[in-house]
Amino acid sequence: MTAAVTQIDHVARGARPERRPFAADSLVWQETGLITFSLTAGSAFLLQTMEPTIAAVVDEHSTFRTDPLGRAFRSIASVMMWIYGGDEALAEADRLRVMHATLNSVDAHGVKHQALSSGPWAWVLHTAVFAFTEGNKYFSSAKLSEADKEAYYREVVQLMRNFSVAPKEIPATFAEWEPWFQDQIENHLVATNVAEDYLTVIRNIAPPKQIPAALRPVWRTATNPIGRLQYFFTVGTTPGLIRDKLGLTWTANDERTLRALGWVIGRTVPVLPERIRYFPIAFEARRLERDRARLRRIIDLRPM
């Protein structure tokens, strides 16, 4: 079964959707750059690796197995550019489309897959909606209202426009997106070797190539707790049906532990200094925006 959705009313027929960077008063500007973004980025990527086309392309072209830290840092920096890059945000979206245009693959069954196929290309951004709402559920003390969710979804729709996502792939509202998303995880996502490999990679963080072999046991010892926690957060914030498809165990005690950790995180992060609370690109963009606002006030008060 496929969930029926109302196609979003983007623009008049024949016209191109407007692409524009995000302003400082948007929800995505306020929330995406927080360090808590990383706590659900894992489950978002896991959902992506269970989409058949994305899995096939990632399996052949991604460096997540050989350079997991580098891939993670590059991915987070790219996402920060989508939101905080100003005009360069659109250039980053264009760069990614150009890069993915040649990332095609043929799976073990001989099926051809293209990274820019409309459904898979849209799915990457749909997992952002899930990651944000799931992150708010566990790791924020200020819970989203239904109006907040609709407002956030409208902003992600704008992000989809910036990435030239086909309108047919976008439910009209968050209220329609929820059952559509549930249908996707029930009837479209499948267990893949890429998803299983990804879970192994995040659980056992491989040392960077620059680290000498003699120091790698030290690296393993130091990063093992981080890997366990990363795996725990990823599995815990993944939909239950997806855990079932992958054969992952999640107990009632695990859920209580996740909620307790989330409660602490949700009340600790807001009181951290802004430089620590936000990723570097987000922090600098926020500081620059405040400087611009101060300059505007001085200009407005200048003698005439």
Side-chain angles (χ1 to χ4, degrees):
M1 174 182 179
T2 300
V5 298
T6 303
Q7 180 175 312
I8 193 161
D9 182 17
H10 281 290
V11 290
R13 180 175 297 181
R16 297 189 64 182
E18 180 186 4
R19 303 172 72 222
R20 62 175 183 268
F22 289 97
D25 60 352
S26 60
L27 265 174
V28 293
W29 177 282
Q30 297 299 325
E31 301 291 337
T32 305
L34 289 167
I35 56 174
T36 47
F37 165 85
S38 62
L39 300 180
T40 51
S43 53
F45 187 69
L46 183 62
L47 292 174
Q48 293 168 31
T49 63
M50 295 179 69
E51 200 288 326
T53 290
I54 296 176
V57 172
V58 166
D59 193 24
E60 183 173 345
H61 298 286
S62 176
T63 61
F64 83 93
R65 297 184 184 96
T66 57
D67 182 26
L69 285 178
R71 188 210 65 84
F73 291 150
R74 289 189 297 271
S75 295
I76 289 175
S78 183
V79 172
M80 295 303 113
M81 285 297 297
W82 303 354
I83 308 303
Y84 302 99
D87 290 336
E88 290 186 61
L90 305 182
E92 176 68 5
D94 293 339
R95 182 187 73 84
L96 291 175
R97 282 192 65 88
V98 169
M99 183 181 77
H100 283 80
T102 58
L103 298 187
N104 305 320
S105 184
V106 179
D107 65 22
H109 303 289
V111 178
K112 296 181 179 180
H113 298 276
Q114 296 180 317
L116 288 186
S117 297
S118 66
W121 185 246
W123 181 245
V124 172
L125 296 173
H126 282 300
T127 63
V129 181
F130 165 78
F132 175 71
T133 53
E134 194 74 358
N136 178 266
K137 171 184 171 183
Y138 284 106
F139 306 116
S140 177
S141 58
K143 301 307 179 184
L144 294 171
S145 67
E146 291 306 308
D148 291 333
K149 294 175 183 177
E150 289 289 353
Y152 179 80
Y153 183 71
R154 287 194 297 272
E155 292 176 5
V156 175
V157 168
Q158 180 59 54
L159 183 61
M160 292 182 184
R161 288 171 172 161
N162 293 350
F163 274 80
S164 302
V165 169
K168 68 178 182 177
E169 305 294 349
I170 310 175
T173 64
F174 181 81
E176 289 197 20
W177 177 87
E178 287 188 290
W180 174 88
F181 180 82
Q182 183 65 26
D183 180 74
Q184 293 296 304
I185 64 174
E186 287 179 5
N187 301 307
H188 185 60
L189 300 190
V190 295
T192 66
N193 67 302
V194 180
E196 293 170 359
D197 287 351
Y198 174 66
L199 288 169
T200 299
V201 164
I202 64 173
R203 175 63 183 79
N204 303 288
I205 305 172
K209 295 178 181 178
Q210 300 90 332
I211 292 184
L215 294 179
R216 293 189 177 186
V218 177
W219 169 272
R220 297 289 187 188
T221 300
T223 60
N224 189 50
I226 299 172
R228 287 204 308 268
L229 195 60
Q230 183 173 242
Y231 178 89
F232 181 78
F233 283 142
T234 296
V235 173
T237 58
T238 292
L241 181 57
I242 296 299
R243 291 197 292 261
D244 292 342
K245 288 187 177 186
L246 292 172
L248 301 173
T249 300
W250 188 253
T251 67
N253 187 58
D254 290 332
E255 181 68 18
R256 286 191 293 270
T257 301
L258 176 61
R259 289 183 179 275
L261 289 172
W263 188 92
V264 173
I265 291 168
R267 284 151 182 81
T268 301
V269 170
V271 300
L272 294 174
E274 187 180 29
R275 183 179 290 277
I276 298 174
R277 196 166 70 247
Y278 284 90
F279 286 105
I281 290 175
F283 169 74
E284 295 297 344
R286 290 169 61 84
R287 184 166 68 170
L288 178 59
E289 188 63 28
R290 288 194 297 271
D291 289 343
R292 286 173 175 162
R294 283 194 292 268
L295 175 59
R296 183 71 263 166
R297 287 195 294 273
I298 295 299
I299 290 174
D300 290 343
L301 293 173
R302 72 190 185 279
M304 298 291 289

